[in-house]
Amino acid sequence: MTSTFDAETHTYRIGGAIVPSVTQVIKEVGWVDTTGFNDAARDRGTLVHAALAGLDSGKGCELPGEYSGYLHAWEAFRRESGMDAWQGIELPAFSEAYLFAGTVDRFNRDFIVDIKTGDVPWWGKYQLAAYSLLLGGQLRVGMVVGLGADGTYTAKSYQVLDMVRAQRVFLSALTTCQTKRAEAK
């Protein structure tokens, strides 16, 4: 089956059919408090992610000065954790088996990492577990890194057993999301 991602509309398709993204699933089941979300926050996240992807892939990094703290925070995380070699950077991934998709921020043989511009959310492990499923279910340690505008970061890691449990919870949320969408038609 052909899988596509339209970056402009942030739409994922498998076999021509629109499928939910990981973020849509966790929002639609009510895990994400969207009261603080606005266009400025979305634009900031998009710019920071693009800049960090350029940095990590060696293509260069452009970021407006007001967001330089996020760059410094990511550089500090990389330096202090030793994590700077990635197999995938901002990789759109698809699951034909479960009919969902998402963009994995970073992964290598041992880790899946999700980057946030802000605090590490409680539901981050479920997002990481979903990405693990998108990468074929290979068990890896998960880590959510929250970058601060002040150049600091926080990181929360989830061991393999945490990720196994979180995969089951995410699949339950995915089933709920898909059922709600089907019943709304």
Side-chain angles (χ1 to χ4, degrees), residues 32-56:
V32 178
D33 177 6
T34 59
T35 55
F37 289 11
N38 56 43
D39 290 343
R42 184 197 66 233
D43 293 345
R44 178 190 70 225
T46 299
L47 285 170
V48 170
H49 271 260
L52 299 183
L55 175 72
D56 288 348

Side-chain angles (χ1 to χ4, degrees), residues 49 88-91 103-107 113-116 131:
H49 271 260
I89 298 170
E90 299 294 331
L91 177 73
T103 299
V104 184
D105 289 356
R106 304 286 185 284
F107 71 94
V113 176
D114 192 65
I115 303 166
K116 303 292 185 199
Y131 294 153

Side-chain angles (χ1 to χ4, degrees), residues 65-117:
E66 67 265 25
Y67 300 138
S68 64
Y70 299 106
L71 172 64
H72 298 307
W74 182 244
E75 289 172 325
F77 167 76
R78 287 183 2 163
R79 184 177 56 256
E80 293 168 15
S81 70
M83 287 189 195
D84 58 3
W86 306 107
Q87 290 174 293
I89 298 170
E90 299 294 331
L91 177 73
F94 304 84
S95 173
E96 290 182 14
Y98 295 112
L99 298 176
F100 78 102
T103 299
V104 184
D105 289 356
R106 304 286 185 284
F107 71 94
N108 61 28
R109 187 174 53 89
D110 300 317
F111 291 92
I112 296 176
V113 176
D114 192 65
I115 303 166
K116 303 292 185 199
T117 52

